[in-house]
Amino acid sequence: MRTLRPAALFAQSTAWTCRSCLQKRRVDLSKPLTYATNAGRFNGKRRKRGAVVLTAASGALAAGALAFPDDLKHGYAAVTRTSRVLATLAVCINDYRITLKHETKDKEESASILKACHKRCAERTLKVLEKNGSIFIKLGQHLSSLTYLLPVEWTETFIPLQDHCPVSSYESIEAMFLKDTGHLIANLFDEFERVPIGAASLAQVHRATIKGTGKRVAVKVQHPALEEWVPLDLALTRFTFATLKRFFPEYDLEWLSDEMETSLPQELDFALEGRNAQRARAYFKNIHDAPLVIPDVISARKRILVMEYISGHRCDDLKFLDSNGIDRDEVSAALSRIFNEMIFGDGAPLHCDPHGGNIAIRKNDSRRGPLNFDIILYDHGLYRDIPKQLQRDYAKLWLAVIDADEKNMRKYAHAVAGITDDQFPLFASAITGRDYRVVTKSVVSSRSAEEKEEMSSAMDEGLLQQLVQLLGQVPNIILLILKTNDLSMQPCY
């Protein structure tokens, strides 16, 4: 990995809170909420509706005091963001409990009442996510994509978060550079565009020119405020899902917070991202039939990543593809080839955050035949290594699916994810998006209107609840593989 000049940029270690200190600062939110009612205290056995605002506020004060005793200003802000989460959580739980207890013989009326509750709670939650920002934006973006798992009122309400990414001020970025490198931006770059060319929930990217070399680079910088709030926000996320599980055990979404606890520290370590990018770049250098381009890493620190500047168009920019004679089917096939190589290749690193914003297409006239394009892959913060035996079992599972071999499908579903015979029909439908009866006959057949209707009806009749419970039992590595697998099975248009 080359060193960015001037060399002083990476001469000092990054200012960062160590894991031990983060543990000491972590908020203890393991105890359940207590609700005060006119009839007495809520004890966990008698779930009665109660006043929640005072409880949430007192819980927030305690959380803020425990987390940041030496910084009054910071402590006040911690109380504010904590109270938002706890108060909204309590109100939503109460809303759902009242709604679910409402009895009516009219199924349509009952469904309408529940949908209205979904919408109310989703809108309350959206306001909290937007106000708190930080990792809550990323959480909301992830939830908006769980269309197969969450009610449409929730996923559609969270869609605005996909384009609601924070932009840190140039002054805050300058201060971070000074803190992390000991230098001002002007000392390191001849040009540094103040307005970012892209922003995401964790970072933003600026175009720049390295001082004295003329080399154009993309500088990825972490939002400075994240360092301040991540420990508390992770604790609040963990507490929220644990509380929801306590009140509604049939909807266990704790696996979401567990995955965030594991993944977020990796995604916030840009030095690790630099190593991941270089490793993937080296691996695909010898895969000649995969038109993959990964920008070279110039230098990497904990919160600052400098990479070769390579631009392209989104893979769903059909106007660009068509006007440049790029075959849409070839693009989709190449994406499948690349991500299947990551899943099944010997020693291949697995990119676990593939989505439209991390993939770009550019014309490449030097390539002959239909592959007259490059696929550019960005954002290498979240990678996993798949154990060899799991790779083999997962490959055999898909071979069994293709062959409609139910016996081996069941065998390898248990091997890769611990799926029992009772759970298998649901698992088979979940990974293929097909009716179980179709999977056991021929998954390559076209999906009929009748099959689509039956799948939709099954979701309404309780399949969703079973799916939530199933995903809570599946190992996280399998969830990440399935996420990547989804992209490889879908066209880019």
Side-chain angles (χ1 to χ4, degrees), residues 164-208:
H164 184 89
C165 292
V167 175
S168 297
S169 68
Y170 179 81
E171 291 73 21
S172 68
I173 297 300
E174 177 91 90
M176 187 177 73
F177 261 88
L178 187 60
K179 179 180 180 182
D180 289 7
T181 72
H183 294 275
L184 297 173
I185 291 175
N187 298 140
L188 306 171
F189 302 98
D190 285 327
E191 295 179 10
F192 189 96
E193 295 183 8
R194 287 174 171 258
V195 178
I197 58 174
S201 55
L202 303 182
Q204 61 193 49
V205 178
H206 296 258
R207 274 191 297 244

mmCIF file of all heavy atoms in Angstrom, residues 164-208:
data_model
loop_
_atom_site.group_PDB
_atom_site.id
_atom_site.type_symbol
_atom_site.label_atom_id
_atom_site.label_comp_id
_atom_site.label_asym_id
_atom_site.label_seq_id
_atom_site.Cartn_x
_atom_site.Cartn_y
_atom_site.Cartn_z
ATOM 1 N N HIS A 164 -31.902 10.542 2.723
ATOM 2 C CA HIS A 164 -31.731 11.493 3.826
ATOM 3 C C HIS A 164 -30.410 11.200 4.546
ATOM 4 O O HIS A 164 -30.388 10.751 5.675
ATOM 5 C CB HIS A 164 -32.903 11.380 4.799
ATOM 6 C CG HIS A 164 -32.845 12.383 5.918
ATOM 7 N ND1 HIS A 164 -33.397 13.637 5.823
ATOM 8 C CD2 HIS A 164 -32.283 12.321 7.157
ATOM 9 C CE1 HIS A 164 -33.196 14.293 6.960
ATOM 10 N NE2 HIS A 164 -32.521 13.516 7.778
ATOM 11 N N CYS A 165 -29.319 11.420 3.849
ATOM 12 C CA CYS A 165 -28.014 11.164 4.445
ATOM 13 C C CYS A 165 -27.411 12.476 4.935
ATOM 14 O O CYS A 165 -27.436 13.487 4.222
ATOM 15 C CB CYS A 165 -27.081 10.501 3.432
ATOM 16 S SG CYS A 165 -27.588 8.828 3.005
ATOM 17 N N PRO A 166 -26.864 12.491 6.124
ATOM 18 C CA PRO A 166 -26.306 13.729 6.676
ATOM 19 C C PRO A 166 -25.063 14.173 5.917
ATOM 20 O O PRO A 166 -24.334 13.349 5.364
ATOM 21 C CB PRO A 166 -25.947 13.327 8.111
ATOM 22 C CG PRO A 166 -25.698 11.851 8.043
ATOM 23 C CD PRO A 166 -26.675 11.335 7.021
ATOM 24 N N VAL A 167 -24.848 15.468 5.887
ATOM 25 C CA VAL A 167 -23.626 16.023 5.298
ATOM 26 C C VAL A 167 -22.917 16.819 6.384
ATOM 27 O O VAL A 167 -23.466 17.774 6.930
ATOM 28 C CB VAL A 167 -23.948 16.942 4.098
ATOM 29 C CG1 VAL A 167 -22.673 17.606 3.581
ATOM 30 C CG2 VAL A 167 -24.626 16.146 2.986
ATOM 31 N N SER A 168 -21.715 16.396 6.709
ATOM 32 C CA SER A 168 -20.930 17.099 7.729
ATOM 33 C C SER A 168 -20.316 18.356 7.128
ATOM 34 O O SER A 168 -19.936 18.380 5.948
ATOM 35 C CB SER A 168 -19.824 16.186 8.267
ATOM 36 O OG SER A 168 -20.369 15.050 8.908
ATOM 37 N N SER A 169 -20.222 19.394 7.908
ATOM 38 C CA SER A 169 -19.685 20.668 7.415
ATOM 39 C C SER A 169 -18.198 20.546 7.102
ATOM 40 O O SER A 169 -17.491 19.703 7.666
ATOM 41 C CB SER A 169 -19.892 21.756 8.465
ATOM 42 O OG SER A 169 -19.076 21.504 9.604
ATOM 43 N N TYR A 170 -17.757 21.409 6.195
ATOM 44 C CA TYR A 170 -16.335 21.420 5.844
ATOM 45 C C TYR A 170 -15.486 21.734 7.074
ATOM 46 O O TYR A 170 -14.402 21.166 7.264
ATOM 47 C CB TYR A 170 -16.069 22.451 4.748
ATOM 48 C CG TYR A 170 -14.614 22.544 4.346
ATOM 49 C CD1 TYR A 170 -14.057 21.622 3.467
ATOM 50 C CD2 TYR A 170 -13.787 23.545 4.867
ATOM 51 C CE1 TYR A 170 -12.721 21.694 3.104
ATOM 52 C CE2 TYR A 170 -12.452 23.631 4.516
ATOM 53 C CZ TYR A 170 -11.921 22.699 3.637
ATOM 54 O OH TYR A 170 -10.593 22.774 3.288
ATOM 55 N N GLU A 171 -15.987 22.609 7.929
ATOM 56 C CA GLU A 171 -15.240 22.985 9.135
ATOM 57 C C GLU A 171 -15.047 21.796 10.067
ATOM 58 O O GLU A 171 -13.967 21.624 10.651
ATOM 59 C CB GLU A 171 -15.991 24.108 9.872
ATOM 60 C CG GLU A 171 -15.988 25.457 9.144
ATOM 61 C CD GLU A 171 -16.896 25.483 7.931
ATOM 62 O OE1 GLU A 171 -17.829 24.631 7.871
ATOM 63 O OE2 GLU A 171 -16.664 26.332 7.043
ATOM 64 N N SER A 172 -16.072 20.959 10.196
ATOM 65 C CA SER A 172 -15.937 19.782 11.064
ATOM 66 C C SER A 172 -14.970 18.760 10.465
ATOM 67 O O SER A 172 -14.228 18.091 11.184
ATOM 68 C CB SER A 172 -17.306 19.142 11.312
ATOM 69 O OG SER A 172 -17.829 18.563 10.133
ATOM 70 N N ILE A 173 -14.966 18.669 9.134
ATOM 71 C CA ILE A 173 -14.023 17.763 8.454
ATOM 72 C C ILE A 173 -12.588 18.280 8.632
ATOM 73 O O ILE A 173 -11.659 17.508 8.883
ATOM 74 C CB ILE A 173 -14.373 17.649 6.956
ATOM 75 C CG1 ILE A 173 -15.765 17.026 6.776
ATOM 76 C CG2 ILE A 173 -13.316 16.820 6.234
ATOM 77 C CD1 ILE A 173 -15.918 15.652 7.348
ATOM 78 N N GLU A 174 -12.415 19.590 8.493
ATOM 79 C CA GLU A 174 -11.096 20.207 8.688
ATOM 80 C C GLU A 174 -10.585 19.925 10.094
ATOM 81 O O GLU A 174 -9.413 19.568 10.294
ATOM 82 C CB GLU A 174 -11.204 21.710 8.465
ATOM 83 C CG GLU A 174 -9.913 22.481 8.697
ATOM 84 C CD GLU A 174 -9.077 22.624 7.444
ATOM 85 O OE1 GLU A 174 -9.273 23.625 6.731
ATOM 86 O OE2 GLU A 174 -8.231 21.738 7.203
ATOM 87 N N ALA A 175 -11.476 20.076 11.090
ATOM 88 C CA ALA A 175 -11.084 19.818 12.482
ATOM 89 C C ALA A 175 -10.700 18.360 12.677
ATOM 90 O O ALA A 175 -9.759 18.047 13.423
ATOM 91 C CB ALA A 175 -12.229 20.201 13.413
ATOM 92 N N MET A 176 -11.393 17.450 12.028
ATOM 93 C CA MET A 176 -11.065 16.029 12.143
ATOM 94 C C MET A 176 -9.713 15.729 11.512
ATOM 95 O O MET A 176 -8.916 14.955 12.054
ATOM 96 C CB MET A 176 -12.160 15.174 11.493
ATOM 97 C CG MET A 176 -11.977 13.674 11.731
ATOM 98 S SD MET A 176 -13.314 12.684 11.025
ATOM 99 C CE MET A 176 -12.937 12.807 9.272
ATOM 100 N N PHE A 177 -9.440 16.316 10.346
ATOM 101 C CA PHE A 177 -8.130 16.148 9.717
ATOM 102 C C PHE A 177 -7.018 16.612 10.662
ATOM 103 O O PHE A 177 -6.000 15.940 10.821
ATOM 104 C CB PHE A 177 -8.066 16.939 8.407
ATOM 105 C CG PHE A 177 -8.295 16.115 7.181
ATOM 106 C CD1 PHE A 177 -9.577 15.907 6.702
ATOM 107 C CD2 PHE A 177 -7.241 15.542 6.506
ATOM 108 C CE1 PHE A 177 -9.807 15.150 5.570
ATOM 109 C CE2 PHE A 177 -7.437 14.779 5.374
ATOM 110 C CZ PHE A 177 -8.735 14.573 4.892
ATOM 111 N N LEU A 178 -7.225 17.771 11.266
ATOM 112 C CA LEU A 178 -6.214 18.322 12.164
ATOM 113 C C LEU A 178 -5.998 17.407 13.369
ATOM 114 O O LEU A 178 -4.860 17.158 13.786
ATOM 115 C CB LEU A 178 -6.628 19.720 12.621
ATOM 116 C CG LEU A 178 -5.610 20.506 13.441
ATOM 117 C CD1 LEU A 178 -4.314 20.722 12.654
ATOM 118 C CD2 LEU A 178 -6.205 21.853 13.866
ATOM 119 N N LYS A 179 -7.090 16.892 13.903
ATOM 120 C CA LYS A 179 -7.003 16.009 15.072
ATOM 121 C C LYS A 179 -6.335 14.681 14.723
ATOM 122 O O LYS A 179 -5.495 14.175 15.474
ATOM 123 C CB LYS A 179 -8.402 15.751 15.632
ATOM 124 C CG LYS A 179 -8.426 14.820 16.840
ATOM 125 C CD LYS A 179 -9.844 14.611 17.338
ATOM 126 C CE LYS A 179 -9.867 13.672 18.542
ATOM 127 N NZ LYS A 179 -11.256 13.420 19.023
ATOM 128 N N ASP A 180 -6.712 14.097 13.575
ATOM 129 C CA ASP A 180 -6.239 12.759 13.222
ATOM 130 C C ASP A 180 -4.871 12.754 12.552
ATOM 131 O O ASP A 180 -4.149 11.753 12.630
ATOM 132 C CB ASP A 180 -7.245 12.068 12.302
ATOM 133 C CG ASP A 180 -8.529 11.676 13.024
ATOM 134 O OD1 ASP A 180 -8.684 12.065 14.196
ATOM 135 O OD2 ASP A 180 -9.378 10.986 12.433
ATOM 136 N N THR A 181 -4.512 13.846 11.848
ATOM 137 C CA THR A 181 -3.249 13.852 11.104
ATOM 138 C C THR A 181 -2.264 14.909 11.582
ATOM 139 O O THR A 181 -1.075 14.828 11.260
ATOM 140 C CB THR A 181 -3.512 14.099 9.604
ATOM 141 O OG1 THR A 181 -3.906 15.464 9.412
ATOM 142 C CG2 THR A 181 -4.609 13.180 9.087
ATOM 143 N N GLY A 182 -2.773 15.909 12.297
ATOM 144 C CA GLY A 182 -1.905 17.003 12.715
ATOM 145 C C GLY A 182 -1.707 18.034 11.634
ATOM 146 O O GLY A 182 -0.864 18.934 11.780
ATOM 147 N N HIS A 183 -2.462 17.926 10.538
ATOM 148 C CA HIS A 183 -2.305 18.849 9.411
ATOM 149 C C HIS A 183 -3.653 19.374 8.950
ATOM 150 O O HIS A 183 -4.670 18.689 9.053
ATOM 151 C CB HIS A 183 -1.623 18.144 8.231
ATOM 152 C CG HIS A 183 -0.210 17.749 8.506
ATOM 153 N ND1 HIS A 183 0.860 18.605 8.340
ATOM 154 C CD2 HIS A 183 0.312 16.580 8.961
ATOM 155 C CE1 HIS A 183 1.982 17.981 8.671
ATOM 156 N NE2 HIS A 183 1.673 16.756 9.048
ATOM 157 N N LEU A 184 -3.635 20.593 8.400
ATOM 158 C CA LEU A 184 -4.812 21.133 7.751
ATOM 159 C C LEU A 184 -4.970 20.503 6.370
ATOM 160 O O LEU A 184 -3.986 20.033 5.765
ATOM 161 C CB LEU A 184 -4.705 22.651 7.617
ATOM 162 C CG LEU A 184 -4.634 23.454 8.934
ATOM 163 C CD1 LEU A 184 -4.347 24.919 8.633
ATOM 164 C CD2 LEU A 184 -5.946 23.302 9.706
ATOM 165 N N ILE A 185 -6.180 20.520 5.852
ATOM 166 C CA ILE A 185 -6.436 19.935 4.532
ATOM 167 C C ILE A 185 -5.582 20.601 3.462
ATOM 168 O O ILE A 185 -5.033 19.927 2.571
ATOM 169 C CB ILE A 185 -7.937 20.056 4.184
ATOM 170 C CG1 ILE A 185 -8.760 19.129 5.098
ATOM 171 C CG2 ILE A 185 -8.197 19.723 2.718
ATOM 172 C CD1 ILE A 185 -10.261 19.248 4.922
ATOM 173 N N ALA A 186 -5.405 21.913 3.552
ATOM 174 C CA ALA A 186 -4.634 22.648 2.547
ATOM 175 C C ALA A 186 -3.169 22.239 2.518
ATOM 176 O O ALA A 186 -2.485 22.429 1.500
ATOM 177 C CB ALA A 186 -4.750 24.153 2.801
ATOM 178 N N ASN A 187 -2.663 21.681 3.613
ATOM 179 C CA ASN A 187 -1.276 21.218 3.647
ATOM 180 C C ASN A 187 -1.098 19.887 2.926
ATOM 181 O O ASN A 187 0.032 19.488 2.624
ATOM 182 C CB ASN A 187 -0.799 21.062 5.084
ATOM 183 C CG ASN A 187 -0.818 22.370 5.858
ATOM 184 O OD1 ASN A 187 -1.180 22.411 7.022
ATOM 185 N ND2 ASN A 187 -0.445 23.471 5.195
ATOM 186 N N LEU A 188 -2.201 19.196 2.676
ATOM 187 C CA LEU A 188 -2.135 17.842 2.125
ATOM 188 C C LEU A 188 -2.619 17.758 0.687
ATOM 189 O O LEU A 188 -2.205 16.867 -0.056
ATOM 190 C CB LEU A 188 -2.981 16.896 2.989
ATOM 191 C CG LEU A 188 -2.636 16.888 4.488
ATOM 192 C CD1 LEU A 188 -3.673 16.095 5.267
ATOM 193 C CD2 LEU A 188 -1.257 16.318 4.711
ATOM 194 N N PHE A 189 -3.497 18.687 0.296
ATOM 195 C CA PHE A 189 -4.082 18.627 -1.045
ATOM 196 C C PHE A 189 -4.002 19.997 -1.720
ATOM 197 O O PHE A 189 -4.211 21.027 -1.083
ATOM 198 C CB PHE A 189 -5.556 18.203 -0.967
ATOM 199 C CG PHE A 189 -5.764 16.870 -0.303
ATOM 200 C CD1 PHE A 189 -6.126 16.789 1.042
ATOM 201 C CD2 PHE A 189 -5.592 15.691 -1.013
ATOM 202 C CE1 PHE A 189 -6.315 15.566 1.662
ATOM 203 C CE2 PHE A 189 -5.784 14.458 -0.393
ATOM 204 C CZ PHE A 189 -6.143 14.399 0.947
ATOM 205 N N ASP A 190 -3.682 19.984 -3.011
ATOM 206 C CA ASP A 190 -3.721 21.222 -3.791
ATOM 207 C C ASP A 190 -5.163 21.666 -3.995
ATOM 208 O O ASP A 190 -5.462 22.863 -3.997
ATOM 209 C CB ASP A 190 -3.048 21.015 -5.151
ATOM 210 C CG ASP A 190 -1.534 20.961 -5.025
ATOM 211 O OD1 ASP A 190 -0.997 21.661 -4.145
ATOM 212 O OD2 ASP A 190 -0.897 20.203 -5.782
ATOM 213 N N GLU A 191 -6.047 20.696 -4.183
ATOM 214 C CA GLU A 191 -7.477 20.977 -4.335
ATOM 215 C C GLU A 191 -8.261 20.004 -3.467
ATOM 216 O O GLU A 191 -7.908 18.831 -3.361
ATOM 217 C CB GLU A 191 -7.920 20.818 -5.800
ATOM 218 C CG GLU A 191 -7.302 21.816 -6.754
ATOM 219 C CD GLU A 191 -7.774 21.571 -8.182
ATOM 220 O OE1 GLU A 191 -8.708 20.753 -8.365
ATOM 221 O OE2 GLU A 191 -7.198 22.176 -9.096
ATOM 222 N N PHE A 192 -9.296 20.520 -2.852
ATOM 223 C CA PHE A 192 -10.177 19.676 -2.041
ATOM 224 C C PHE A 192 -11.575 20.279 -2.134
ATOM 225 O O PHE A 192 -11.828 21.363 -1.610
ATOM 226 C CB PHE A 192 -9.712 19.640 -0.578
ATOM 227 C CG PHE A 192 -10.435 18.632 0.278
ATOM 228 C CD1 PHE A 192 -9.880 17.373 0.501
ATOM 229 C CD2 PHE A 192 -11.668 18.922 0.860
ATOM 230 C CE1 PHE A 192 -10.534 16.433 1.294
ATOM 231 C CE2 PHE A 192 -12.337 18.001 1.640
ATOM 232 C CZ PHE A 192 -11.768 16.738 1.861
ATOM 233 N N GLU A 193 -12.464 19.609 -2.856
ATOM 234 C CA GLU A 193 -13.803 20.153 -3.075
ATOM 235 C C GLU A 193 -14.578 20.163 -1.762
ATOM 236 O O GLU A 193 -14.739 19.124 -1.115
ATOM 237 C CB GLU A 193 -14.546 19.329 -4.130
ATOM 238 C CG GLU A 193 -13.902 19.411 -5.504
ATOM 239 C CD GLU A 193 -14.689 18.660 -6.562
ATOM 240 O OE1 GLU A 193 -15.816 18.202 -6.256
ATOM 241 O OE2 GLU A 193 -14.185 18.531 -7.700
ATOM 242 N N ARG A 194 -15.040 21.339 -1.385
ATOM 243 C CA ARG A 194 -15.730 21.488 -0.104
ATOM 244 C C ARG A 194 -17.067 20.749 -0.074
ATOM 245 O O ARG A 194 -17.469 20.233 0.963
ATOM 246 C CB ARG A 194 -15.961 22.978 0.193
ATOM 247 C CG ARG A 194 -14.687 23.714 0.593
ATOM 248 C CD ARG A 194 -14.932 25.202 0.738
ATOM 249 N NE ARG A 194 -13.765 25.869 1.324
ATOM 250 C CZ ARG A 194 -13.667 26.244 2.586
ATOM 251 N NH1 ARG A 194 -14.679 26.022 3.418
ATOM 252 N NH2 ARG A 194 -12.583 26.836 3.053
ATOM 253 N N VAL A 195 -17.748 20.708 -1.206
ATOM 254 C CA VAL A 195 -19.040 20.015 -1.276
ATOM 255 C C VAL A 195 -18.793 18.555 -1.652
ATOM 256 O O VAL A 195 -18.171 18.279 -2.680
ATOM 257 C CB VAL A 195 -19.966 20.672 -2.309
ATOM 258 C CG1 VAL A 195 -21.295 19.918 -2.402
ATOM 259 C CG2 VAL A 195 -20.195 22.137 -1.959
ATOM 260 N N PRO A 196 -19.253 17.611 -0.849
ATOM 261 C CA PRO A 196 -18.997 16.197 -1.154
ATOM 262 C C PRO A 196 -19.731 15.741 -2.410
ATOM 263 O O PRO A 196 -20.825 16.241 -2.724
ATOM 264 C CB PRO A 196 -19.525 15.462 0.088
ATOM 265 C CG PRO A 196 -20.526 16.392 0.696
ATOM 266 C CD PRO A 196 -20.021 17.770 0.416
ATOM 267 N N ILE A 197 -19.142 14.805 -3.134
ATOM 268 C CA ILE A 197 -19.788 14.258 -4.330
ATOM 269 C C ILE A 197 -20.760 13.147 -3.951
ATOM 270 O O ILE A 197 -21.560 12.707 -4.784
ATOM 271 C CB ILE A 197 -18.743 13.716 -5.329
ATOM 272 C CG1 ILE A 197 -17.873 12.619 -4.681
ATOM 273 C CG2 ILE A 197 -17.887 14.847 -5.866
ATOM 274 C CD1 ILE A 197 -16.924 11.954 -5.650
ATOM 275 N N GLY A 198 -20.701 12.706 -2.715
ATOM 276 C CA GLY A 198 -21.614 11.678 -2.244
ATOM 277 C C GLY A 198 -21.611 11.641 -0.729
ATOM 278 O O GLY A 198 -20.600 11.939 -0.094
ATOM 279 N N ALA A 199 -22.753 11.306 -0.162
ATOM 280 C CA ALA A 199 -22.848 11.207 1.299
ATOM 281 C C ALA A 199 -23.688 9.996 1.665
ATOM 282 O O ALA A 199 -24.673 9.678 0.993
ATOM 283 C CB ALA A 199 -23.472 12.472 1.892
ATOM 284 N N ALA A 200 -23.277 9.308 2.713
ATOM 285 C CA ALA A 200 -24.006 8.148 3.218
ATOM 286 C C ALA A 200 -24.200 8.328 4.713
ATOM 287 O O ALA A 200 -23.821 9.356 5.290
ATOM 288 C CB ALA A 200 -23.253 6.864 2.894
ATOM 289 N N SER A 201 -24.783 7.330 5.347
ATOM 290 C CA SER A 201 -25.101 7.458 6.765
ATOM 291 C C SER A 201 -23.861 7.526 7.645
ATOM 292 O O SER A 201 -23.889 8.130 8.719
ATOM 293 C CB SER A 201 -25.975 6.284 7.211
ATOM 294 O OG SER A 201 -25.352 5.052 6.911
ATOM 295 N N LEU A 202 -22.742 6.922 7.207
ATOM 296 C CA LEU A 202 -21.539 6.884 8.032
ATOM 297 C C LEU A 202 -20.432 7.804 7.528
ATOM 298 O O LEU A 202 -19.532 8.151 8.299
ATOM 299 C CB LEU A 202 -20.994 5.447 8.115
ATOM 300 C CG LEU A 202 -21.940 4.372 8.646
ATOM 301 C CD1 LEU A 202 -21.208 3.029 8.707
ATOM 302 C CD2 LEU A 202 -22.476 4.745 10.015
ATOM 303 N N ALA A 203 -20.465 8.180 6.268
ATOM 304 C CA ALA A 203 -19.334 8.927 5.707
ATOM 305 C C ALA A 203 -19.780 9.746 4.503
ATOM 306 O O ALA A 203 -20.912 9.617 4.023
ATOM 307 C CB ALA A 203 -18.221 7.957 5.303
ATOM 308 N N GLN A 204 -18.859 10.584 4.026
ATOM 309 C CA GLN A 204 -19.072 11.318 2.782
ATOM 310 C C GLN A 204 -17.763 11.333 2.004
ATOM 311 O O GLN A 204 -16.686 11.108 2.561
ATOM 312 C CB GLN A 204 -19.559 12.739 3.064
ATOM 313 C CG GLN A 204 -18.617 13.603 3.874
ATOM 314 C CD GLN A 204 -19.297 14.874 4.368
ATOM 315 O OE1 GLN A 204 -20.399 14.833 4.922
ATOM 316 N NE2 GLN A 204 -18.635 16.018 4.177
ATOM 317 N N VAL A 205 -17.872 11.590 0.694
ATOM 318 C CA VAL A 205 -16.706 11.507 -0.186
ATOM 319 C C VAL A 205 -16.474 12.842 -0.881
ATOM 320 O O VAL A 205 -17.422 13.448 -1.419
ATOM 321 C CB VAL A 205 -16.888 10.390 -1.235
ATOM 322 C CG1 VAL A 205 -15.680 10.338 -2.172
ATOM 323 C CG2 VAL A 205 -17.086 9.039 -0.558
ATOM 324 N N HIS A 206 -15.208 13.288 -0.868
ATOM 325 C CA HIS A 206 -14.805 14.537 -1.526
ATOM 326 C C HIS A 206 -13.781 14.227 -2.616
ATOM 327 O O HIS A 206 -12.898 13.369 -2.427
ATOM 328 C CB HIS A 206 -14.169 15.497 -0.525
ATOM 329 C CG HIS A 206 -15.095 15.966 0.548
ATOM 330 N ND1 HIS A 206 -15.697 17.210 0.531
ATOM 331 C CD2 HIS A 206 -15.528 15.361 1.691
ATOM 332 C CE1 HIS A 206 -16.453 17.355 1.605
ATOM 333 N NE2 HIS A 206 -16.367 16.251 2.327
ATOM 334 N N ARG A 207 -13.869 14.926 -3.735
ATOM 335 C CA ARG A 207 -12.811 14.866 -4.744
ATOM 336 C C ARG A 207 -11.681 15.770 -4.315
ATOM 337 O O ARG A 207 -11.913 16.851 -3.768
ATOM 338 C CB ARG A 207 -13.334 15.307 -6.109
ATOM 339 C CG ARG A 207 -13.982 14.198 -6.913
ATOM 340 C CD ARG A 207 -14.237 14.637 -8.342
ATOM 341 N NE ARG A 207 -15.165 15.751 -8.410
ATOM 342 C CZ ARG A 207 -16.360 15.702 -8.979
ATOM 343 N NH1 ARG A 207 -16.778 14.583 -9.541
ATOM 344 N NH2 ARG A 207 -17.147 16.757 -9.014
ATOM 345 N N ALA A 208 -10.460 15.323 -4.595
ATOM 346 C CA ALA A 208 -9.296 16.115 -4.205
ATOM 347 C C ALA A 208 -8.118 15.808 -5.120
ATOM 348 O O ALA A 208 -8.142 14.842 -5.897
ATOM 349 C CB ALA A 208 -8.928 15.827 -2.752
#
